[in-house]
Amino acid sequence: MQVRTRHTPNFGVARLVLAPGEMVLADPLTIAATSYGLAVEVKGTGVKAVALCTAGAEGGWIDAAPVLPGDLHLVELDGTHGWLLYRLSWVASSSTVAMNPEAPPLQALLGGGEGFLNYAQGQGAVVLACCGALDLVTLEAGEAVTISSDHVVAFADTVQCRLRPSVPDGVQSIHTGEGLVFDFAGPGAVLTQTRGPRRLTTWLRANGVSWSS
């Protein structure tokens, strides 16, 4: 799979170019267009829905446009380590990349419950979207930082991390990440987004902005 991006950094669109017979997994909500004849099979429902896209004998392409405005980022997995992803940041990935919500790093972080993160492992490309602009935080050994869960897009499993409440006794949710912050320590990379989707939703509601207003 080759990934070509356009309209970044504000309204990124990723064109996924496939070889003959090549397969790719994508978020069904992000598929804006495909080459004629490309097969799309959606498996699962709701937030667990995944589109299995297969190119024909002459290859093909998919235009994936994230739901929220913002930038795109490509992570290349080489099989040596995995990445933990914010579920809603995932756009697409090579068929050689496996998503494992029961991976040990997630079990240790979330306590075994299904949460707002997923785990990508294997070899291949993973296309991620962010809300707003994307920042890369590179942590050296022993360097530490605290980041709101709403601003975390993804991080390598080489990074040490702890998840804790942002405010003692405040509302918090492992399922959505609400009310939680990450404490990260290097070495490793953390991808962040300049806008928080949950914070945006809260602000809109608090200021009386809705579809019916």
Side-chain angles (χ1 to χ4, degrees):
M1 178 178 71
Q2 297 181 1
V3 181
R4 303 169 184 169
T5 61
R6 62 185 192 273
H7 305 312
T8 56
N10 298 319
F11 300 98
V13 177
R15 173 156 292 190
L16 315 176
V17 182
L18 308 181
E22 186 176 7
M23 295 184 293
V24 65
L25 300 175
D27 178 350
L29 293 179
T30 69
I31 298 177
T34 72
S35 57
Y36 181 77
L38 187 136
V40 178
E41 180 184 2
V42 178
K43 299 183 178 183
T45 59
V47 297
K48 294 184 178 181
V50 174
L52 176 61
C53 307
T54 307
E58 298 182 355
W61 55 264
I62 302 161
D63 273 355
V67 175
L68 295 175
D71 209 348
L72 293 167
H73 186 76
L74 180 65
V75 173
E76 291 281 0
L77 300 183
D78 60 8
T80 60
H81 64 270
W83 278 70
L84 289 89
L85 318 174
Y86 175 44
R87 283 183 179 274
L88 298 183
S89 72
W90 177 75
V91 174
S93 53
S94 304
S95 60
T96 51
V97 173
M99 295 295 176
N100 182 8
E102 298 181 354
L106 279 184
Q107 295 292 314
L109 190 61
L110 303 179
E114 182 176 336
F116 66 103
L117 298 172
N118 208 338
Y119 185 77
Q121 59 188 133
Q123 291 182 298
V126 180
V127 182
L128 301 174
C130 68
C131 186
L134 184 136
D135 277 327
L136 170 61
V137 180
T138 303
L139 299 173
E140 301 297 334
E143 185 180 3
V145 66
T146 298
I147 304 174
S148 166
S149 65
D150 204 25
H151 287 268
V152 172
V153 174
F155 54 95
D157 64 7
T158 58
V159 179
Q160 299 179 57
C161 64
R162 178 180 66 174
L163 200 57
R164 62 177 173 83
S166 56
V167 178
D169 301 322
V171 176
Q172 54 188 275
S173 170
I174 288 293
H175 182 68
T176 65
E178 180 182 5
L180 300 172
V181 297
F182 285 97
D183 292 326
F184 291 112
V190 181
L191 300 174
T192 66
Q193 53 193 1
T194 59
R195 297 293 181 268
R198 292 192 308 274
R199 293 187 179 188
L200 174 60
T201 301
T202 300
W203 185 91
L204 291 172
R205 290 174 178 170
N207 288 276
V209 181
S210 67
W211 291 113
S212 59
S213 62

